Amino acid sequence: MGGGEPTVHIIDDDESLRRALDGLFRSVGLKARGYGSVREFLDGGIEDTPGCLVLDVRLPGLSGIDFQSQLGDHGIHYPVVLMTGHGDIPMSVKAMKAGAQDFLAKPFRDQEMLDAVAAAIERDRQTRSSEDGKSRVQKLFTTLSPREQQVMMLVTSGKMNKQAAGELGISEITVKIHRGSAMRKMGARTLADLVRMADLLKSTATRSR
Amino acid sequence: MGGGEPTVHIIDDDESLRRALDGLFRSVGLKARGYGSVREFLDGGIEDTPGCLVLDVRLPGLSGIDFQSQLGDHGIHYPVVLMTGHGDIPMSVKAMKAGAQDFLAKPFRDQEMLDAVAAAIERDRQTRSSEDGKSRVQKLFTTLSPREQQVMMLVTSGKMNKQAAGELGISEITVKIHRGSAMRKMGARTLADLVRMADLLKSTATRSR
DNA sequence: AGTTGAACCACACTTACGTATGAGACCAGA
DNA sequence: TCTGGTCTCATACGTAAGTGTGGTTCAACT
């Protein structure tokens, strides 16, 4: 899941520019793929491989900036490098506030683009490795039975077994059993591990997506 | 510590602009203070009150952008709103990447500035409340004796008392004593609390500043 | 010289944790 | 119908945690 070499996805309606960028990225050993429009990119089927997006601000159908803000809705979390031929400061500021990795005004030097893309890919790598840990824990959590999940949340919030038992209206011994199997299923060797996993779960549950 | 109403610190060598901004901020009930240069601001003595900075990119002595990147060295963590009369896209992108709250090209509308400053102050408020928790825990941690600190880190990493004892070359009973006083001094009612405090300490210790 | 705080340890006791054994009830899917 | 998972509980045993009492040593400060 999510393996492979990083790929740069270039979306621009100007085919000559696409080819030039494609060549540029390949010249430094990066995989690259070009698309003439957002539609074409989305239809291409998103593989879950590391990489980043390089977008023109002005695109047929949908602007690069609008698309950038909608990425989340499409389940895409690639860092974005924006390019523009006719941009202004407010536009660049808006894009950066929206979380763009970089914003390049044409004409730009090859090296600027390569630096931006390298940083974007590195950021994606970081995001992925931390997301991997979270989703691993989340996946494990779903394998717990409802009771086990409840008990896990109670004990990691500092409740003693007997307190958790009281809250759930069951006996302490039953809590111990659920607690034990929760630990085993989550792969937590100690309570400290379990607390950290629970915090991870809470942090992702609260996050706005 | 850190109380009071938020203050907008305006640094610009153009006094007429300073006065205009000062009036603008006061008109919406914000405290404001003007400075003709970075020097003047720094010499003014930094009070630890909530607020933000409004800087011109071009300043006598030191540019606003350079100053922004040095804020940390001065122990200042205010969000920064940058203004410029002669800016370009690369400059704005650089500023945003450096963590600026906003970047306004002159001329801007009053409302744009007010929105930017309001967002900056809100961000400062958030940062402060989370930093308060951290520094509270850090302060408590320093009240622990060296042994108590060591024991706390060991037990929160999942070690049993006897394992911690082994690592420290002391007896288990002594570990229990240190552990107990660490809990009491840190104000942790349960091990789960202590684990979270320890994680907070680790996260701030690792952070580059 | 006296006090204080830190670190160390032993003995003893209570409480909590963790697991094993055994068992009954329920429900859904093969 | 039988199997398997979930949830429930009791009894029991061994281990770990947490606290209290009492005591020693050492360095630092008064």
Coordinates of all heavy atoms in Angstrom, one line a residue, chain B residues 36-89:
Chain B
G36 N 8.7 53.2 14.7 CA 9.3 53.7 13.4 C 10.3 52.7 12.8 O 10.6 52.8 11.6
S37 N 10.8 51.8 13.7 CA 11.8 50.8 13.2 C 11.8 49.6 14.1 O 11.2 49.6 15.2 CB 13.2 51.5 13.3 OG 13.6 51.7 14.6
V38 N 12.5 48.6 13.6 CA 12.6 47.3 14.4 C 13.3 47.6 15.7 O 12.9 47.1 16.8 CB 13.4 46.3 13.6 CG1 13.8 45.1 14.4 CG2 12.6 45.8 12.4
R39 N 14.3 48.4 15.6 CA 15.1 48.8 16.8 C 14.2 49.4 17.9 O 14.2 49.0 19.0 CB 16.1 49.9 16.3 CG 17.4 50.2 17.0 CD 18.3 49.2 17.5 NE 18.0 48.4 18.6 CZ 18.3 47.1 18.6 NH1 18.8 46.5 17.6 NH2 17.9 46.4 19.6
E40 N 13.3 50.3 17.4 CA 12.4 51.0 18.4 C 11.5 50.0 19.0 O 11.2 50.1 20.2 CB 11.6 52.0 17.6 CG 11.0 53.1 18.5 CD 10.2 54.1 17.6 OE1 10.6 54.4 16.5 OE2 9.1 54.4 18.1
F41 N 11.1 49.0 18.2 CA 10.2 48.0 18.8 C 10.9 47.2 19.8 O 10.4 46.9 20.9 CB 9.6 47.1 17.6 CG 8.9 45.9 18.1 CD1 7.7 46.0 18.8 CD2 9.4 44.6 17.9 CE1 7.0 44.9 19.2 CE2 8.7 43.5 18.3 CZ 7.5 43.7 19.0
L42 N 12.1 46.7 19.4 CA 12.8 45.8 20.4 C 13.2 46.6 21.6 O 13.2 46.0 22.7 CB 14.1 45.3 19.7 CG 13.8 44.3 18.5 CD1 15.1 43.9 17.9 CD2 13.1 43.1 19.1
D43 N 13.6 47.8 21.5 CA 14.0 48.6 22.7 C 12.8 48.9 23.6 O 13.0 49.1 24.8 CB 14.6 49.9 22.2 CG 16.0 49.7 21.6 OD1 16.5 48.6 21.7 OD2 16.5 50.7 20.9
G44 N 11.6 48.9 23.0 CA 10.4 49.2 23.8 C 10.2 48.2 24.9 O 9.3 48.4 25.7
G45 N 10.9 47.1 24.9 CA 10.7 46.1 25.9 C 9.4 45.3 25.5 O 8.4 45.9 25.4
I46 N 9.6 44.0 25.4 CA 8.5 43.2 24.9 C 7.7 42.7 26.1 O 8.2 42.0 27.0 CB 9.0 42.0 24.1 CG1 9.7 42.5 22.8 CG2 7.8 41.1 23.7 CD1 11.1 42.2 22.8
E47 N 6.5 43.2 26.2 CA 5.6 42.7 27.3 C 5.0 41.4 26.8 O 4.7 41.2 25.6 CB 4.5 43.7 27.6 CG 5.0 45.1 27.8 CD 4.0 46.1 27.4 OE1 2.8 45.9 27.6 OE2 4.3 47.1 26.8
D48 N 4.7 40.5 27.7 CA 4.2 39.2 27.3 C 2.6 39.3 27.2 O 2.0 38.7 28.0 CB 4.6 38.1 28.2 CG 4.2 36.8 27.7 OD1 4.0 36.6 26.5 OD2 4.1 35.9 28.5
T49 N 2.2 40.1 26.3 CA 0.7 40.2 26.1 C 0.3 39.6 24.8 O 1.1 39.6 23.8 CB 0.3 41.7 26.2 OG1 1.0 42.4 25.2 CG2 0.6 42.2 27.6
P50 N -0.9 39.1 24.7 CA -1.4 38.6 23.4 C -1.4 39.8 22.3 O -1.5 40.9 22.7 CB -2.8 38.1 23.6 CG -3.2 38.7 25.0 CD -1.9 39.0 25.7
G51 N -1.3 39.4 21.1 CA -1.3 40.4 20.0 C -0.7 39.9 18.7 O -0.6 38.7 18.5
C52 N -0.3 40.8 17.9 CA 0.3 40.4 16.6 C 1.2 41.6 16.1 O 1.2 42.7 16.7 CB -0.7 40.0 15.6 SG -1.7 41.4 14.9
L53 N 1.9 41.3 15.1 CA 2.8 42.4 14.5 C 2.2 42.7 13.1 O 1.8 41.8 12.3 CB 4.2 41.8 14.3 CG 5.0 41.6 15.6 CD1 6.4 41.1 15.2 CD2 5.2 42.9 16.3
V54 N 2.3 44.0 12.7 CA 2.1 44.4 11.4 C 3.3 45.1 10.9 O 3.7 46.2 11.5 CB 0.9 45.4 11.3 CG1 0.7 45.9 9.9 CG2 -0.4 44.7 11.8
L55 N 4.0 44.6 9.9 CA 5.2 45.1 9.4 C 5.2 45.5 8.0 O 4.6 44.8 7.2 CB 6.3 43.9 9.5 CG 6.6 43.2 10.8 CD1 7.8 42.3 10.5 CD2 7.0 44.2 11.8
D56 N 6.0 46.5 7.7 CA 6.2 46.8 6.3 C 7.4 45.9 5.8 O 8.3 45.7 6.6 CB 6.5 48.2 6.0 CG 6.4 48.6 4.6 OD1 7.2 48.1 3.8 OD2 5.5 49.4 4.3
V57 N 7.4 45.4 4.6 CA 8.5 44.6 4.1 C 9.7 45.4 4.1 O 10.8 44.9 4.4 CB 8.1 44.0 2.7 CG1 9.4 43.4 2.1 CG2 7.0 43.0 2.8
R58 N 9.6 46.7 3.7 CA 10.8 47.5 3.6 C 10.9 48.4 4.8 O 10.0 49.2 5.1 CB 10.6 48.4 2.3 CG 12.0 48.8 1.8 CD 11.8 49.9 0.8 NE 11.9 49.3 -0.6 CZ 11.5 50.0 -1.7 NH1 10.9 51.1 -1.5 NH2 11.7 49.5 -2.9
L59 N 11.9 48.1 5.6 CA 12.0 48.9 6.8 C 13.4 49.5 6.9 O 14.3 48.9 6.4 CB 11.8 48.0 8.1 CG 10.3 47.6 8.4 CD1 10.3 46.6 9.5 CD2 9.5 48.8 8.7
P60 N 13.6 50.5 7.7 CA 15.0 51.1 7.8 C 15.8 50.1 8.7 O 15.3 49.6 9.7 CB 14.7 52.4 8.6 CG 13.4 52.3 9.2 CD 12.6 51.4 8.3
G61 N 16.9 49.8 8.2 CA 17.8 48.9 8.9 C 17.7 47.4 8.6 O 18.6 46.8 8.1
L62 N 16.5 46.9 8.7 CA 16.3 45.5 8.6 C 15.0 45.3 7.8 O 14.0 45.9 8.1 CB 16.2 44.8 9.9 CG 16.2 43.3 10.0 CD1 17.5 42.7 9.5 CD2 15.9 42.9 11.4
S63 N 15.0 44.4 6.8 CA 13.7 44.3 6.1 C 12.7 43.5 6.9 O 13.1 42.7 7.8 CB 14.0 43.5 4.8 OG 13.8 42.2 4.9
G64 N 11.5 43.7 6.6 CA 10.4 43.0 7.4 C 10.5 41.5 7.3 O 10.3 40.8 8.2
I65 N 10.9 41.1 6.1 CA 11.0 39.6 5.9 C 12.1 39.0 6.7 O 12.0 38.0 7.3 CB 11.1 39.3 4.4 CG1 9.8 39.6 3.7 CG2 11.5 37.9 4.2 CD1 9.6 38.8 2.4
D66 N 13.3 39.7 6.7 CA 14.4 39.2 7.4 C 14.1 39.2 8.9 O 14.4 38.3 9.7 CB 15.6 40.1 7.2 CG 16.2 39.9 5.8 OD1 15.8 38.8 5.2 OD2 16.9 40.7 5.3
F67 N 13.4 40.3 9.3 CA 13.0 40.4 10.7 C 12.1 39.3 11.1 O 12.3 38.7 12.2 CB 12.4 41.8 11.0 CG 11.9 42.0 12.4 CD1 12.8 41.7 13.5 CD2 10.6 42.4 12.7 CE1 12.4 41.9 14.8 CE2 10.2 42.6 14.0 CZ 11.1 42.4 15.0
Q68 N 11.2 39.0 10.2 CA 10.2 37.9 10.5 C 10.9 36.6 10.8 O 10.6 35.9 11.8 CB 9.3 37.8 9.3 CG 8.3 36.7 9.5 CD 7.7 36.3 8.1 OE1 8.1 36.7 7.1 NE2 6.7 35.4 8.2
S69 N 12.0 36.3 10.1 CA 12.6 35.0 10.2 C 13.5 35.0 11.5 O 13.9 34.0 11.9 CB 13.4 34.7 9.0 OG 14.3 35.7 8.7
Q70 N 13.8 36.2 12.0 CA 14.6 36.3 13.2 C 13.8 36.4 14.5 O 14.4 36.5 15.6 CB 15.6 37.5 13.1 CG 16.6 37.3 12.0 CD 17.4 38.6 11.8 OE1 17.5 39.4 12.7 NE2 18.0 38.7 10.7
L71 N 12.5 36.5 14.4 CA 11.7 36.7 15.5 C 11.9 35.7 16.6 O 12.0 36.1 17.8 CB 10.2 36.7 15.1 CG 9.6 37.9 14.5 CD1 8.2 37.7 14.1 CD2 9.7 39.1 15.4
G72 N 12.1 34.5 16.2 CA 12.3 33.4 17.2 C 13.5 33.7 18.0 O 13.5 33.4 19.2
D73 N 14.6 34.2 17.4 CA 15.8 34.4 18.1 C 15.6 35.5 19.2 O 16.3 35.5 20.2 CB 16.9 35.0 17.2 CG 17.1 34.0 16.0 OD1 16.8 32.8 16.2 OD2 17.6 34.4 14.9
H74 N 14.6 36.4 19.0 CA 14.4 37.4 20.0 C 13.3 36.9 21.0 O 12.9 37.7 21.9 CB 13.9 38.7 19.3 CG 14.9 39.3 18.4 ND1 15.9 40.1 19.0 CD2 15.1 39.4 17.1 CE1 16.7 40.6 18.0 NE2 16.2 40.1 16.8
G75 N 12.9 35.7 20.9 CA 11.9 35.2 21.8 C 10.5 35.7 21.6 O 9.7 35.7 22.5
I76 N 10.3 36.2 20.4 CA 9.0 36.7 20.0 C 8.3 35.7 19.1 O 8.8 35.2 18.2 CB 9.2 38.0 19.2 CG1 10.0 39.0 20.1 CG2 7.8 38.6 18.9 CD1 10.4 40.2 19.4
H77 N 7.0 35.5 19.5 CA 6.3 34.5 18.7 C 5.0 35.0 18.2 O 4.0 34.3 18.0 CB 6.1 33.2 19.6 CG 7.3 32.6 20.0 ND1 8.2 31.9 19.2 CD2 7.9 32.6 21.3 CE1 9.2 31.5 19.9 NE2 9.1 31.9 21.1
Y78 N 4.9 36.3 18.0 CA 3.7 36.9 17.5 C 3.5 36.5 16.0 O 4.5 36.5 15.2 CB 3.8 38.5 17.5 CG 3.6 39.1 18.8 CD1 4.5 40.1 19.3 CD2 2.6 38.7 19.6 CE1 4.3 40.7 20.5 CE2 2.4 39.3 20.9 CZ 3.2 40.3 21.3 OH 3.0 40.9 22.5
P79 N 2.3 36.3 15.6 CA 2.0 36.1 14.2 C 2.3 37.5 13.5 O 2.1 38.5 14.1 CB 0.5 35.9 14.2 CG 0.1 35.4 15.6 CD 1.1 36.1 16.5
V80 N 2.7 37.4 12.3 CA 3.1 38.6 11.5 C 2.2 38.8 10.3 O 1.9 37.9 9.5 CB 4.6 38.4 11.0 CG1 4.9 39.5 10.1 CG2 5.5 38.3 12.2
V81 N 1.7 40.0 10.2 CA 1.1 40.4 9.0 C 2.0 41.4 8.2 O 2.4 42.4 8.8 CB -0.3 41.2 9.3 CG1 -0.9 41.7 8.0 CG2 -1.2 40.2 10.0
L82 N 2.3 41.1 7.0 CA 3.3 41.9 6.2 C 2.5 42.8 5.2 O 1.5 42.4 4.7 CB 4.2 41.0 5.5 CG 5.3 40.3 6.3 CD1 6.0 39.2 5.6 CD2 6.4 41.4 6.7
M83 N 3.1 44.0 5.0 CA 2.5 44.9 4.0 C 3.7 45.2 3.1 O 4.8 45.3 3.5 CB 2.1 46.2 4.7 CG 1.2 46.1 5.8 SD 0.9 47.8 6.5 CE 2.4 48.1 7.4
T84 N 3.3 45.5 1.9 CA 4.3 46.0 0.9 C 3.7 46.9 -0.1 O 2.6 46.7 -0.6 CB 5.1 44.8 0.3 OG1 6.1 45.3 -0.6 CG2 4.1 44.0 -0.6
G85 N 4.5 47.8 -0.6 CA 4.1 48.7 -1.7 C 4.7 48.2 -3.0 O 4.1 48.4 -4.0
H86 N 5.8 47.5 -2.9 CA 6.5 47.1 -4.1 C 6.9 45.6 -4.0 O 8.1 45.3 -4.1 CB 7.8 47.9 -4.3 CG 7.5 49.4 -4.3 ND1 7.0 50.1 -5.3 CD2 7.7 50.3 -3.3 CE1 6.8 51.4 -5.0 NE2 7.2 51.5 -3.8
G87 N 5.9 44.8 -3.8 CA 6.2 43.4 -3.7 C 6.0 42.6 -5.0 O 5.4 43.1 -5.9
D88 N 6.5 41.4 -5.0 CA 6.2 40.5 -6.1 C 5.8 39.2 -5.6 O 5.9 38.9 -4.3 CB 7.4 40.4 -7.0 CG 8.7 40.1 -6.3 OD1 8.5 39.5 -5.2 OD2 9.8 40.3 -6.8
I89 N 5.5 38.3 -6.4 CA 5.0 37.0 -6.0 C 6.0 36.2 -5.3 O 5.7 35.7 -4.2 CB 4.4 36.2 -7.3 CG1 3.1 36.9 -7.7 CG2 4.2 34.8 -6.9 CD1 2.4 36.2 -8.8

